Amino acid sequence: MDLDVPLNNINKTERNQTMRTLKNVVAVDWRSGKDRYYFFFKDTETYTRIDAEYRNLPDGYPASVNSGNWDSFHSDVKNLRFGFSTTNIYRFDGQEAFDRDYLLLFYYKGETPMCCWYDQDDDKVTRRRPVADTHYRPILPYFDRIVAATWWESFGVNWIGKKSPVRFLMNDGHTFMFDMYEKNVRLEPIDERTWPGLAPYKDRILTGVQNDRTLAESLFHIFLTDNEFMTYTIPNGELVHGPEKVDENSWPGLLRD
């Protein structure tokens, strides 16, 4: 079910609940099993889960981030910068990553940019390393300015050794694509060619999250200040709609405090 389909089963009590203003939030996608979105609210060290298929907020959210739900990463959520999910592209320490889903979480440990691999299939942290010691070291000069990232997979090329680009958005009006197999970074301005329609809102970007749809184009949702969002197709990068309001129709439960 797409996010722009109206939701009609929101009761009056839910509409009257306290609503938050989105800020200092990091969104990530979850590919293992049913697709989900997770939103980390760093100021309160809480998170919300929204199930993509039915656009519903399960009972018990927002919830505190702790070792019972985010393994050892819970202690670093307040320093989280951005994150995204990938699959089928990693080999490390003798492990085969075929058909494994990983959530990569980028954060600071003191003054050191770090990367945490979170295995979605086993629901646990599998490794942590300084970004300087990973395939992602070329993004280090831009680390402080990155506000959103997503795996920008093309149809039929998401296999080990094939192109696996990640697309980044920064808070200074620039964007770039990085492919871990090519090890190059090319900065480009956010404009009508790179992100149609986003340029007027380039200073308002908070975070972004992908909807990995199986039988249709994947979507990338970019969240802006003032509780608004925009939606793009992957891999064509076409604007679907936006800015539109984040509310109980478009993102039920996301603004509940």
Side-chain angles (χ1 to χ4, degrees):
M1 184 181 296
D2 294 341
L3 281 170
D4 53 356
V5 178
L7 191 73
N8 298 315
N9 63 348
I10 303 169
N11 62 43
K12 189 172 182 179
T13 301
E14 289 174 326
R15 291 184 186 276
N16 290 335
Q17 287 183 338
T18 302
M19 298 296 170
R20 73 169 82 229
T21 298
L22 292 179
K23 61 179 181 177
N24 210 16
V25 59
V26 175
V28 298
D29 59 304
W30 190 273
R31 291 171 175 263
S32 181
K34 297 291 186 180
D35 287 346
R36 311 169 198 165
Y37 312 102
Y38 287 103
F39 294 82
F40 294 99
F41 303 103
K42 297 191 292 180
D43 290 339
T44 57
E45 297 184 45
T46 59
Y47 76 105
T48 282
R49 164 186 156 189
I50 294 179
D51 293 337
E53 183 178 3
Y54 302 108
R55 289 194 307 138
N56 72 317
L57 180 77
D59 292 339
Y61 295 94
S64 296
V65 178
N66 56 55
S67 59
N69 47 44
W70 285 99
D71 197 28
S72 63
F73 184 72
H74 77 280
S75 59
D76 294 299
V77 68
K78 58 183 175 297
N79 299 314
L80 181 61
R81 294 287 306 168
F82 55 92
F84 53 87
S85 290
T86 62
T87 191
N88 292 343
I89 63 173
Y90 286 102
R91 283 180 175 171
F92 55 84
D93 300 335
Q95 298 182 21
E96 291 288 339
F98 181 77
D99 202 27
R100 303 291 290 181
D101 296 300
Y102 291 96
L103 174 59
L104 274 65
L105 299 162
F106 293 82
Y107 64 102
Y108 272 106
K109 195 73 171 181
E111 296 183 358
T112 303
M114 298 288 295
C115 182
C116 170
W117 279 258
Y118 197 100
D119 189 323
Q120 296 181 2
D121 297 292
D122 291 338
D123 204 5
K124 67 178 182 179
V125 172
T126 59
R127 80 193 303 221
R128 297 169 181 258
R129 280 193 178 176
V131 175
D133 297 335
T134 73
H135 292 96
Y136 289 93
R137 67 180 67 88
I139 75 172
L140 278 173
Y142 318 105
F143 196 82
D144 282 336
R145 288 171 279 168
I146 296 170
V147 290
T150 188
W151 186 27
W152 204 260
E153 61 179 314
S154 297
F155 301 118
V157 296
N158 56 331
W159 301 101
I160 295 173
K162 300 294 184 180
K163 288 186 176 181
S164 49
V166 177
R167 201 169 187 187
F168 294 83
L169 283 165
M170 300 197 294
N171 60 12
D172 64 356
H174 288 83
T175 183
F176 68 91
M177 194 91 79
F178 172 68
D179 189 322
M180 62 178 283
Y181 291 104
E182 296 182 357
K183 299 181 172 59
N184 62 335
V185 171
R186 186 180 70 181
L187 289 181
E188 296 180 302
I190 294 173
D191 57 23
E192 285 304 302
R193 181 181 63 84
T194 58
W195 289 95
L198 185 59
Y201 314 101
K202 62 187 178 182
D203 298 323
R204 295 176 49 197
I205 302 170
L206 291 173
T207 188
V209 69
Q210 182 177 154
N211 181 1
D212 172 37
R213 302 193 296 181
T214 302
L215 299 178
E217 283 184 303
S218 294
L219 300 175
F220 186 53
H221 306 289
I222 298 173
F223 292 84
L224 310 172
T225 57
D226 298 331
N227 288 356
E228 292 185 323
F229 74 103
M230 302 176 72
T231 298
Y232 290 83
T233 61
I234 296 175
N236 295 327
E238 298 173 347
L239 177 63
V240 178
H241 54 66
E244 294 187 7
K245 278 295 182 183
V246 175
D247 56 27
E248 285 295 293
N249 284 317
S250 60
W251 290 88
L254 180 55
L255 300 183
R256 295 179 206 169
D257 226 341

